[in-house]
Amino acid sequence: MTASAGVETRQTLLSGLCEARERTDELFRLLRPDAYFDRPIPERHRNIFYLGHLETFDWNLLSERILGLKSFRPEFDKLFAFGIDPVGGGLPADQPQDWPAIQEIQQYNLRVRNTIDQALRKADLSASTPRGESPLATLLNVAIEHRLMHAETFAYMLHRLPPNRKIAPALSPQTSAKPVQHQMAEIPAGEATLGLHRNGDFGWDNEFEAHRVLVAPFAIDVYEATNADFLKFMQDGGYQRRELWREDAWEWITREGTSHPAFWKRHGNGWLYQTMFGEIPLPPECPVYVGQAEAAAYAQWMRKSLPSEEEWHRAAYGTPEGGERAYPWGSETPSAKHGNFHFESWDPAPVSAHPRGASAYGVLDLLGNGWEWTSTPFSPFPGFKAFPFYPGYSANFFDGKHYVMKGGSPRTAACMLRPSFRNWFQAHYPYVYATFRCVSH
């Protein structure tokens, strides 16, 4: 790395870290003081945990490993180190009094930021850790994207809080749209490139190694399933029809009493939709947000299926000429005209709102507006190597219970719209900003 390139890289990464911090700071400013100790989702930590977790993650990743800094609050470094993945375990039982005071955590956070920033201004970005794990530039990218992921996951947690527990910012009016005419796009047989080459570009461990997959011909929905579509499934008894559900999914909805999407609320004979800051009449042309198990049941009802990861890639990035695009719409840098992403909105837009984001095959809304469930269990690509400094990031979830999601949501940062990025969640987790579209063969 030349001196000028090093300065430019440093500035880009430090600016990225600053922007990521602002994204998460913005979320904590939405909380009323007494709401810090709420638990919006039963399986997750209380909000107060996330106030400490983000700075703790950065500290544990960077301090002793590469910056040579010594801990000043080791008990916080441990308390806020790891979140919860609610798979098959009991619910957390901690109480508000079990956590430190807000001001104490904020003081810790401020000292962590100041100490790390001072060290980064003079650190060698190309230097590797003493164990030769990764250069500092890689670790900084991990810190930035980890925080941006939490800017999304914490947003959907706050989505579950009642409006009176939050301080709403000034909001733009909701976008309306005409009903969409559903159709399917025919995708011919061809190859899809999954993953990244190890050429110096940053990616998480599960994004490597790049490989090509032959995909048979199929047809895919031009639009994601909307709230209006899913309402028809419900009106046809979708949640009561055992034959539509996998065995594990049926056991889940029976045990939990699940009978509608988590973002919906019964209101008389109709439905309300829970936006980030209030309840509105169900927006029919917005994508429905559901868990993978619900999406798969809907697809079964339609006599279709969810796309595989490689089918989704082929529809999103493939071209009739045989090549592949950097983004569905081409090579242009992602912007608001292409889709609903990069914190442009707190809530989804109508599925037809961004025609300039269409793929070469005319498939719309592939990036942003809601992650899209696939039928592919989350598993390693050939050549997978776990991050030595974060060995459980991906490997802990190669368990057959998590499914790949592609695309992005309104709260997904633009840097994670790269084709190789893979998100994943459990099939029975209905709180994510995740939707779906169907395929037929």
Side-chain angles (χ1 to χ4, degrees):
M1 182 183 295
T2 66
S4 60
V7 169
E8 184 178 346
T9 299
R10 181 194 307 279
Q11 195 54 48
T12 298
L13 288 172
L14 294 183
S15 296
L17 182 58
C18 259
E19 181 185 351
R21 286 171 176 170
E22 176 53 31
R23 294 300 181 187
T24 51
D25 288 350
E26 172 188 36
L27 293 173
F28 289 108
R29 290 195 292 268
L30 300 179
L31 280 173
R32 297 193 180 278
D34 55 345
Y36 275 85
F37 296 94
D38 290 357
R39 193 195 308 278
I41 294 176
E43 299 93 337
R44 295 283 178 193
H45 279 308
R46 297 177 186 276
N47 295 329
I48 192 72
F49 167 81
Y50 300 93
L51 180 64
H53 172 64
L54 297 168
E55 253 53 61
T56 296
F57 181 90
D58 292 353
W59 180 263
N60 289 340
L61 180 70
L62 300 170
S63 59
E64 290 190 51
R65 175 175 275 109
I66 201 161
L67 297 178
L69 304 172
K70 298 300 181 184
S71 175
F72 56 90
R73 288 300 297 270
E75 71 278 15
F76 277 23
D77 300 347
K78 181 178 180 181
L79 176 64
F80 295 109
F82 297 108
I84 296 173
D85 183 58
V87 180
L91 299 179
D94 58 280
Q95 297 301 313
Q97 60 269 23
D98 297 331
W99 295 94
I102 296 171
Q103 186 177 16
E104 191 177 3
I105 300 171
Q106 289 172 332
Q107 290 171 345
Y108 167 82
N109 289 349
L110 183 60
R111 184 170 176 184
V112 166
R113 286 191 186 183
N114 289 338
T115 305
I116 285 179
D117 288 354
Q118 288 178 13
L120 287 176
R121 280 193 284 269
K122 53 188 178 183
D124 180 359
L125 292 185
S126 63
S128 295
T129 66
R131 295 187 295 275
E133 293 171 330
S134 290
L136 176 56
T138 297
L139 300 185
L140 273 176
N141 273 303
V142 166
I144 291 167
E145 292 202 0
H146 169 266
R147 186 177 288 269
L148 290 170
M149 290 177 200
H150 273 291
E152 177 167 351
T153 58
F154 193 50
Y156 77 67
M157 286 181 61
L158 297 189
H159 213 115
R160 311 305 305 168
L161 282 178
N164 63 5
R165 308 296 284 164
K166 292 172 281 194
I167 303 167
L171 300 174
S172 301
Q174 290 288 317
T175 304
S176 59
K178 297 178 180 179
V180 297
Q181 296 295 318
H182 279 292
Q183 53 191 301
M184 301 191 82
E186 298 289 337
I187 313 295
E191 289 190 321
T193 302
L194 305 184
L196 273 175
H197 291 290
R198 298 185 190 275
N199 59 4
D201 290 339
F202 174 74
W204 293 85
D205 55 8
N206 64 74
E207 296 179 58
F208 300 101
E209 178 70 39
H211 60 290
R212 295 181 68 79
V213 180
L214 183 62
V215 183
F218 64 99
I220 189 167
D221 290 338
V222 169
Y223 302 105
E224 310 99 300
T226 65
N227 287 317
D229 297 327
F230 204 82
L231 182 59
K232 295 175 184 176
F233 165 76
M234 291 175 56
Q235 290 169 337
D236 196 38
Y239 280 93
Q240 291 78 47
R241 293 173 57 178
R242 171 67 184 85
E243 73 274 12
L244 299 177
W245 298 79
R246 298 189 303 254
E247 183 175 348
D248 64 300
W250 184 253
E251 192 278 330
W252 166 62
I253 66 165
T254 303
R255 181 183 71 249
E256 300 295 327
T258 302
S259 60
H260 59 81
F263 289 78
W264 295 18
K265 181 180 178 181
R266 174 71 75 177
H267 181 68
N269 294 325
W271 296 94
L272 295 176
Y273 183 82
Q274 183 175 337
T275 70
M276 177 61 99
F277 299 107
E279 294 172 349
I280 62 172
L282 187 69
E285 302 310 323
C286 288
V288 63
Y289 287 167
V290 290
Q292 199 267 2
E294 293 161 292
Y298 176 97
Q300 180 75 9
W301 176 71
M302 289 290 291
R303 294 182 174 84
K304 299 179 182 179
S305 58
L306 297 181
S308 65
E309 183 175 6
E310 53 265 34
E311 286 174 335
W312 192 95
H313 261 262
R314 178 94 177 107
Y317 304 110
T319 67
E321 296 76 30
E324 290 181 297
R325 293 176 168 182
Y327 300 101
W329 55 83
S331 58
E332 192 175 357
T333 301
S335 68
K337 67 185 179 185
H338 298 121
N340 180 16
F341 45 70
H342 199 62
F343 314 101
E344 285 291 326
S345 172
W346 293 103
D347 297 291
V351 297
S352 59
H354 296 93
R356 295 175 74 176
S359 77
Y361 293 108
V363 184
L364 274 73
D365 223 24
L366 287 154
L367 296 187
N369 221 26
W371 291 97
E372 297 193 18
W373 288 111
T374 73
S375 61
T376 301
F378 182 55
S379 61
F381 286 157
F384 170 80
K385 296 177 182 177
F387 277 158
F389 54 85
Y390 198 171
Y393 172 73
S394 299
N396 285 355
F397 305 99
F398 297 151
D399 58 6
K401 298 178 181 178
H402 294 74
Y403 288 81
V404 174
M405 300 191 303
K406 297 294 297 185
S409 85
R411 310 305 294 175
T412 300
C415 62
M416 291 184 285
L417 299 177
R418 57 184 180 269
S420 59
F421 189 85
R422 308 169 82 200
N423 200 354
W424 68 92
F425 263 98
Q426 304 157 54
H428 308 154
Y429 195 68
Y431 309 113
V432 189
Y433 299 139
T435 185
F436 65 96
R437 69 183 79 221
C438 297
V439 297
S440 60
H441 302 92

